[in-house]
Amino acid sequence: MDRRRFLTFAAGGAAGAALASSVSCVQPFLKKQPVAAAARQDIPTTCEMCVNKCSIIAVVENGKISKLNPNPESPRSRGMVCARGNAGLQQVYDPARLKKPLIRAGARGEGKWRTASWEEAFDFAAGKLAKVKEQYGPQGSMWSSTESFAETFFKSLGLAFGSPNVERHPTLCLASVNLAYSLTFGTVPSFDLANARYIIMSGANRLESFIMPDTVDLIGSTTERKARLIYLDPRFTVTASKADEWFPIKPGTDLAFVLAMLNVIIGEQRYNKEFVANYTSGFDQLAEHVKSHTPEWAEIETEIHANDIRRVAREFADAAPRAVYYAGRRSSWYREDFQFRRAQAILNAIVGNWDRQGGMVPNAKIALGELLFLPWDDPTAPRVDEMDKNFPLAAKGDGAYLKMRENVLAGVPYPVKAWMVHKQDPMNALPEQAKTVRMIEQMDFLGVIDVQMSDTAWYADVVFPESSYLERQDPIEVLPGIVPVVVYRPPVIKPLHDTKSTLEIVQGLAKRLGLSQYFDYTIDKWVDAQAKGLPLDTPLEYLKHHGVWSPPDGAKYGATLNPDHRFVTKSGKIELYSERLQEAGYDPLPVYHTPMQPPTGTFRLILGRRAYFTQANTTNNPWLNTFAPENVLWMHPRAARQAGIDDGQMVEVASSVGSLRLKARVTQEIRPDCVFTMHGYGKRSQWQRLAAGRNASDAEIIETAWDKVSGGGAFHETFVKVRKA
Ligand code: SF4
């Protein structure tokens, strides 16, 4: 593949525009000889370079993957592969990927390893886990993972082992949105961006940080002027550049903006009275609650003019039901974010955007078959993060990562001495990296399953190399959505190295831990049982040929819009006022508290992502790294002038927990009270040669804070000093 073709197949919009650098890493592909048709296979599969799970077609020529094409049959990815999806090839053929099991041979973080056989690695890890179990009980272990098709096997091993301490990614990402929408509607809906006519986004920088089909919908909706996009962010992002209006809102005050919108819409009787009467509860309390939250009050908090707030509120209500206040991802920025997300949900509800084209739509699902296997007893110990006490309404199965780390470090309510991590890099995903290092150092055992030597793997006792997503058979997955999709991921080539799938690794450990009886199946049996649940004559054959299936009837709206429908809430209605919140000791309606402001001489640190990088996981990918090899610190000219800092100069950015050095980018595209940097840089793992030591990891300076209700990590609560380095 030459550079031009790579650019052609990358997604359009922001990602495509950004792919304008040289790509020396594609040179090996330029030397290809013509391939006989028989030697070429086009194998449908599913991308794993981010959580979106786009359908792709791997082109395999003479046993080697030469290209990843989009699969036009997917209604979800719709013939699109983004830059990261294209660069998946580099994960497979990365010379520095994990190729054999490794056992640590030096101090933690020293990078000294010896290779081991799988037998030895399993024996070693199982021995350590068994010892911890004997000494501290099964609850003395922790099992952390992020979303993947095979995550279920890993989680199951932790639970079968007897540990309640399964910690998952949402607690660092979507926890506040998930909880807010679940408590309001009984479910977390999708947002019909393709058909919306008025979209408000608060800090959800969709056009830069997460390039996927509904981002493309957004580009289509805005550039073709089908929809009006109102964007609130302290920073002028790529999304701001495509918006109809950008408001550089004062950080942490988005709830005040929404409360003022509610004030206008209710005060001017612009809400959907019929919908409110039929489907919601607690409207009178809500109306009373927002009476004092006038646009003039919100102007002082948000620094957005009252007339603009009033106008946006009117336009939003007038555009309903084709209007959405988009919920966004990585939704916990501040300690009060749950209440901000609740207010968004309430606003969307009272204008009747529910289950209507262009509004919020409850996700449609598809049932798969299930393989029956021996169940294990539920773990009996309480969770180490004490969810029942600290976050009684949050999703217990996801945990509360940061509270977990605090408790593990303090040894309460009991010691945790073993940690298994699957496909996740807590060293970079969690704030205050020094604390994560301290937690690892007090563990008797850390085992990591990954494709690459992540920073967390760098500190592990044993590293299990996982086969890449193009080398292994994964379970079938259903992607719920407005149009649900079933996706399939077979191996498109044999494993290049001495690697195993998640299930094989889980089975290897289970056997030595005396838990084999719970994992007595093969991936083929698992997939076969799943496929049998689909309403197709030969479902597995269909998926092998097409890679994706979706019910033919497409998007459906309005299934919940009948008077007999019961929402999965306490009252059976959409809960504007939440008794469950009240009973748990929280505000039943969103109450605003003015956020703390940066003391003189400091700035609020805000963070974001680039389209090329999936969290911190793909910074070392050669193709992607080419486009963004370096991180910078955005700083407003006035603030820079006061500190005597010039554009391009090296600066030291210091919080109460650490400091890092970055190049200053002096720009008007950020508020003077904030500085901004990108996530995903500054690896410790020397195996990540392009990212190791390049700039620094934001995890080193972000302070520990979490949303009070969901427990989700709050990443924008750090104030920093900036000075010339
Ligand atoms: S959005 Fe890009 S990286 Fe994510 S699944 Fe789709 S193609 Fe892969």
Side-chain angles (χ1 to χ4, degrees), residues 65-85:
I65 310 165
S66 58
K67 191 162 187 320
L68 299 171
N69 282 329
N71 182 344
E73 290 194 49
S74 169
R76 187 171 169 109
S77 48
R78 287 173 265 154
M80 180 193 119
V81 179
C82 79
R84 287 168 305 171

Side-chain angles (χ1 to χ4, degrees), residues 558-591:
T560 62
L561 294 178
N562 70 73
D564 297 331
H565 179 77
R566 270 192 72 82
F567 290 83
V568 191
T569 57
K570 191 175 173 190
S571 63
K573 300 276 186 185
I574 296 168
E575 297 200 341
L576 310 177
Y577 180 98
S578 169
E579 279 179 25
R580 283 194 69 203
L581 279 168
Q582 188 180 36
E583 285 162 10
Y586 300 114
D587 293 320
L589 287 162
V591 173

